[in-house]
Amino acid sequence: MLENAYLIMFYPLFAFVMIVFFTRWKEKLSSHLSIGMILLGFIHSVFVMIEMLARHGQSYEKAIPFLTLPNFSLELGIFLDPLTAVMLLVVTIVSSCVQIYSLGYMHGDPRFSRYFSYLSLFTFSMLGLVLANNFFMIFIFWELVGLTSYLLIGFWFEKKSASDAGKKAFITTRIGDLGFIVGILILTAFVGTLNYQQVFERVASGEVSATIVTLAGIFLFCGAVGKSAQFPLHVWLPDAMEGPTPVSALIHAATMVAAGVYMVARGMSLFAGSATASLVIASIGLITSFIAATIALTQNDIKRVLAYSTVSQLGYMIMALGLYGVDYAHGHHSAGYVAGTFHLMTHAFFKALLFLGAGSVIHAVHTNDIQEMGGLSKKMKITATTFFIASLSIAGIFPLSGFWSKDEIVASTQGHPVFMFFTLLIAFMTAFYMFRLCFLTFTGKPRHEEKYHHAHESPKSMTYPLMFLAFLSIFAGWVGLPWLHHGFSSFVFHEEVHHAGPQYILMIVSTIVAVSGIGLAYLVYYKKKISADVIAEKFKPIYTLLYNKYYFDELYDAIIIKPVLGLTNVLWWFDANIIDGLVNFSGWLTVKWADAKQLFDQYVVDGAVNGAGYLMMGLAWLFRYAQNGSLQFYTLIVAAGAIGIVIYKVTPEGFYYYLAGLLIMALSRLLVRSLRTERANSGAKYEG
């Protein structure tokens, strides 16, 4: 099955093509085709995982040449290893659940078929990114992921907020992608190949200088900063909630934001070659995780709370991977690689469940504001139960999936006390804001009677995926248990991961931290022993800062957007008034010059030519009467000429008077003849 694994990404592509060209008028057929193809991809992914287990994680690569140059070549190929196998399952499972869920959520939407075609293209892009065996291919699919996310975030483009969110996501991630391109160009110039294994081998052998490894690593990581919404490019992800909720689940759990973490994990052998690059990665991850967690404490939009939760958890993963690189570069063992990839897997399931659960709530009460909810567990038992399970999992409560992967992340911070402190603090905040969300949404008295009155449980097409994801949120993390042949770590990492300290102590500490966060949320929002309003008023400056998301959007608007807009206005004025003015003046001057040339040509050149013609015509008109065939006239001319010669000989002055007299006589005769001719013509006309 491994040699045919490339087919996994073509199943959803086939669905996309069929829907766009053949079935878009038949909504039911389009949706079933899309779901059928992703389920086929899931089945194929299961067989790939089975064969990978049988090979004990031994990698498989298949490629064909694409472009060959004297010192460089590009190829198209696939690379399969345990990380690939895990991500194939994650993407196909979450995509299947999202698409089945969408049958109920998007029912009645006028662009129903288009929606499923976009989902199929989105899944194809992510699967291609996962299967790629080189940085050239991963960049192609990287950009396709960005395009399809733009299409889905702005799917309801008639809403200005949705179209703006799509543009914001597209432009922000392109900024990170610029760094990604620079990193790829550095590898091309100094490593001479973009194939993963060849790059990693040359870095490990010391063929590439430490400076180049650091630069390439940092620039490649810029791509992950954009795609996985890391500080300072994290601002697009909360606004991406304007898209349909199933899209949010897919973006946050298994596709776009997972792409950045996957790329860092895939290129870990490169990043681990530079302690500096790895430290940058770990620091950015920690900063992102802390900022997002603090913002999530104060938000009231159910999807935005989950969005900032995603940003925080992605920061967790990036931090763990970075710490692995720091430790590896110094010759130490670390759980960071396993922690980051393990949490990427478990997070996909419980975060997809949380978003789909939020969608179920929004579908029922038609609002995103948790302050207008309350008491919904009585009317939405399946949604409430599964949402609480996902919240317990993300909080890291034993024995749910999130507990095992979070434990690995905490373990990865050993030897880094600052990172460990903030990791535990973030874990506390995560448990608090998630159960703040749970208690305000599902418990207590309804705070909006009309919305509560119309609330109802979602249809089975929406609740069945919730139950399946709840099962995975409980049990998926169990693959990390040591008794499963050393668990997830040995399968992905090919060796047992060594931790520096007693793991049971860390497990107990992290559990106490999580339970404390839940307990505080319970006292504040369920029992109401502590007033949230009093706390907010007491720490009003901090609360205002967090509620306004550290004013990042306002800051970017002030220092980037408005100056750029002002510059574009200046450039527009310069173009309209200076550049266009010069062009228009040149045009006006050319027209005037052409007019002058036309006048000169018409009155001078043509006048001279026409004047010569008129002169000849006049002379011909004059002399034609001398050629009348009358012998008497000729005799008269000869006589007049002879007389003129005699006069000239006698008195030259008199000769001129003689000529003038002859000319007057000739003209008079011509005039008389002309009048007679005209009178004769008039008489003939009258008689006729």
Side-chain angles (χ1 to χ4, degrees):
M1 296 299 290
L2 295 184
E3 61 273 13
N4 297 321
Y6 66 91
L7 292 174
I8 296 174
M9 65 177 174
F10 286 111
Y11 297 139
L13 180 62
F14 173 77
F16 169 76
V17 173
M18 292 297 294
I19 293 171
V20 169
F21 291 104
F22 302 106
T23 70
R24 65 179 183 270
W25 300 279
K26 299 179 180 180
E27 294 183 348
K28 188 174 182 180
L29 179 59
S30 296
S31 60
H32 289 179
L33 177 63
S34 180
I35 294 170
M37 287 297 102
I38 193 60
L39 288 174
L40 186 59
F42 164 67
I43 295 170
H44 198 154
S45 299
V46 171
F47 282 107
V48 168
M49 174 61 79
I50 293 172
E51 190 163 346
M52 189 58 64
L53 288 168
R55 293 164 61 95
H56 302 288
Q58 182 182 355
S59 63
Y60 171 85
E61 186 171 8
K62 182 179 181 180
I64 58 174
F66 176 71
L67 176 65
T68 302
L69 300 174
N71 298 316
F72 182 75
S73 63
L74 291 175
E75 60 187 17
L76 302 178
I78 61 172
F79 179 78
L80 294 165
D81 67 350
L83 179 60
T84 308
V86 169
M87 284 303 297
L88 288 176
L89 280 177
V90 168
V91 174
T92 53
I93 288 173
V94 174
S95 295
S96 299
C97 292
V98 165
Q99 294 204 25
I100 294 171
Y101 178 95
S102 297
L103 289 173
Y105 191 88
M106 297 298 291
H107 178 72
D109 191 281
R111 294 187 290 271
F112 189 82
S113 293
R114 180 189 295 185
Y115 171 81
F116 275 92
S117 70
Y118 286 171
L119 285 184
S120 295
L121 185 62
F122 200 8
T123 307
F124 157 73
S125 304
M126 187 62 192
L127 290 171
L129 187 151
V130 169
L131 286 165
N133 77 322
N134 60 79
F135 286 102
F136 168 69
M137 277 189 65
I138 201 175
F139 181 74
I140 293 174
F141 288 107
W142 189 271
E143 294 305 303
L144 277 174
V145 167
L147 169 64
T148 47
S149 66
Y150 165 75
L151 295 174
L152 285 166
I153 292 169
F155 183 76
W156 289 322
F157 52 82
E158 60 273 13
K159 292 170 52 182
K160 187 177 186 303
S161 57
S163 62
D164 288 347
K167 290 183 285 187
K168 185 176 182 179
F170 191 80
I171 294 172
T172 305
T173 53
R174 292 292 77 70
I175 295 171
D177 291 352
L178 177 62
F180 194 18
I181 294 174
V182 173
I184 291 175
L185 293 176
I186 291 174
L187 292 179
T188 303
F190 294 96
V191 183
T193 181
L194 295 177
N195 179 276
Y196 291 148
Q197 299 309 303
Q198 293 175 12
V199 170
F200 302 155
E201 288 171 3
R202 294 180 188 182
V203 170
S205 65
E207 296 180 35
V208 186
S209 70
T211 302
I212 296 302
V213 173
T214 300
L215 287 175
I218 291 176
F219 278 113
L220 288 173
F221 177 64
C222 288
V225 170
K227 275 289 187 293
S228 289
Q230 298 296 288
F231 172 84
L233 300 181
H234 63 284
V235 292
W236 69 267
L237 191 55
D239 288 354
M241 299 303 96
E242 292 294 335
T245 300
V247 171
S248 301
L250 193 58
I251 289 176
H252 285 252
T255 51
M256 186 166 178
V257 298
V261 179
Y262 173 79
M263 189 274 289
V264 174
R266 173 57 67 206
M268 204 64 241
S269 297
L270 170 66
F271 297 115
S274 169
T276 302
S278 297
L279 183 59
V280 169
I281 293 171
S283 300
I284 292 294
L286 181 63
I287 292 170
T288 303
S289 187
F290 177 78
I291 288 175
T294 55
I295 294 174
L297 296 172
T298 61
Q299 300 304 301
N300 293 320
D301 185 311
I302 186 171
K303 289 175 67 176
R304 285 185 179 271
V305 174
L306 297 179
Y308 281 109
S309 171
T310 298
V311 176
S312 182
Q313 297 300 304
L314 291 170
Y316 252 11
M317 302 171 206
I318 293 292
M319 178 198 71
L321 292 170
L323 289 177
Y324 167 79
V326 172
D327 290 337
Y328 184 89
H330 291 97
H332 302 146
H333 290 288
S334 172
Y337 179 81
V338 172
T341 54
F342 192 14
H343 200 59
L344 178 61
M345 181 192 74
T346 60
H347 175 265
F349 300 134
F350 56 68
K351 186 50 62 71
L353 175 56
L354 287 169
F355 267 105
L356 295 184
S360 180
V361 171
I362 295 169
H363 185 264
V365 298
H366 303 289
T367 182
N368 289 30
D369 191 348
I370 58 177
Q371 300 295 342
E372 297 182 357
M373 301 178 189
L376 293 177
S377 61
K378 298 174 184 177
K379 289 196 170 186
M380 307 179 69
K381 295 186 183 299
I382 296 176
T383 300
T385 302
T386 55
F387 201 94
F388 269 94
I389 290 172
S391 298
L392 288 169
S393 187
I394 194 174
I397 300 300
F398 178 87
L400 280 74
S401 295
F403 169 80
W404 306 103
S405 56
K406 190 190 74 172
D407 175 59
E408 292 285 352
I409 290 178
V410 175
S412 70
T413 62
Q414 292 182 95
H416 307 279
V418 174
F419 284 90
M420 178 175 283
F421 171 78
F422 279 101
T423 297
L424 293 173
L425 177 60
I426 293 166
F428 172 83
M429 289 190 289
T430 301
F432 176 80
Y433 66 67
M434 283 309 306
F435 276 85
R436 168 183 178 264
L437 182 61
C438 289
F439 292 140
L440 287 177
T441 303
F442 296 106
T443 67
K445 296 180 180 180
R447 289 182 293 281
H448 197 292
E449 288 295 337
E450 183 180 353
K451 295 185 185 301
Y452 177 78
H453 176 72
H454 292 289
H456 55 84
E457 185 59 274
S458 298
K460 292 180 180 179
S461 62
M462 296 172 66
T463 55
Y464 282 171
L466 296 181
M467 290 185 283
F468 178 69
L469 288 170
F471 174 83
L472 293 176
S473 297
I474 296 171
F475 298 108
W478 290 21
V479 299
L481 294 177
W483 48 266
L484 286 175
H485 190 60
H486 301 300
F488 184 88
S489 60
S490 63
F491 176 61
V492 173
F493 204 60
H494 303 302
E495 64 177 74
E496 183 178 356
V497 178
H498 298 275
H499 299 300
Q503 298 310 299
Y504 290 113
I505 294 178
L506 287 178
M507 292 168 66
I508 293 171
V509 170
S510 63
T511 301
I512 291 173
V513 168
V515 171
S516 299
I518 296 173
L520 181 59
Y522 176 79
L523 292 174
V524 175
Y525 296 103
Y526 186 82
K527 286 303 221 179
K528 302 191 183 301
K529 298 289 187 182
I530 303 173
S531 173
D533 294 334
V534 171
I535 296 175
E537 188 63 31
K538 186 174 182 179
F539 300 97
K540 189 172 183 178
I542 298 176
Y543 177 84
T544 303
L545 179 67
L546 300 182
Y547 184 78
N548 289 284
K549 300 162 286 187
Y550 290 94
Y551 295 98
F552 276 110
D553 287 325
E554 291 80 2
L555 184 65
Y556 287 157
D557 186 65
I559 66 174
I560 297 177
I561 297 175
K562 286 183 178 178
V564 169
L565 184 60
L567 177 61
T568 57
N569 287 331
V570 171
L571 294 176
W572 175 86
W573 180 90
F574 183 82
D575 180 70
N577 294 277
I578 306 300
I579 303 299
D580 286 356
L582 290 174
V583 172
N584 294 337
F585 175 74
S586 299
W588 177 85
L589 187 62
T590 302
V591 170
K592 294 303 180 184
W593 174 247
D595 290 342
K597 289 179 65 179
Q598 191 267 342
L599 292 174
F600 180 82
D601 182 72
Q602 180 178 354
Y603 293 104
V604 178
V605 177
D606 288 354
V609 173
N610 295 335
Y614 292 143
L615 179 61
M616 292 299 104
M617 289 176 62
L619 290 174
W621 179 77
L622 179 63
F623 287 114
R624 72 180 178 178
Y625 291 104
Q627 304 295 326
N628 57 11
S630 174
L631 184 61
Q632 294 89 338
F633 184 74
Y634 295 155
T635 303
L636 178 63
I637 293 298
V638 171
I643 294 171
I645 292 172
V646 172
I647 293 173
Y648 182 77
K649 291 294 185 179
V650 175
T651 170
E653 294 81 1
F655 174 75
Y656 295 109
Y657 291 107
Y658 173 72
L659 285 180
L662 288 177
L663 181 61
I664 291 171
M665 290 174 63
L667 291 175
S668 299
R669 179 175 176 78
L670 290 174
L671 179 61
V672 170
R673 290 187 63 181
S674 176
L675 291 173
R676 287 176 179 174
T677 301
E678 182 178 354
R679 185 179 299 131
N681 291 336
S682 300
K685 182 177 180 182
Y686 177 76
E687 292 175 0

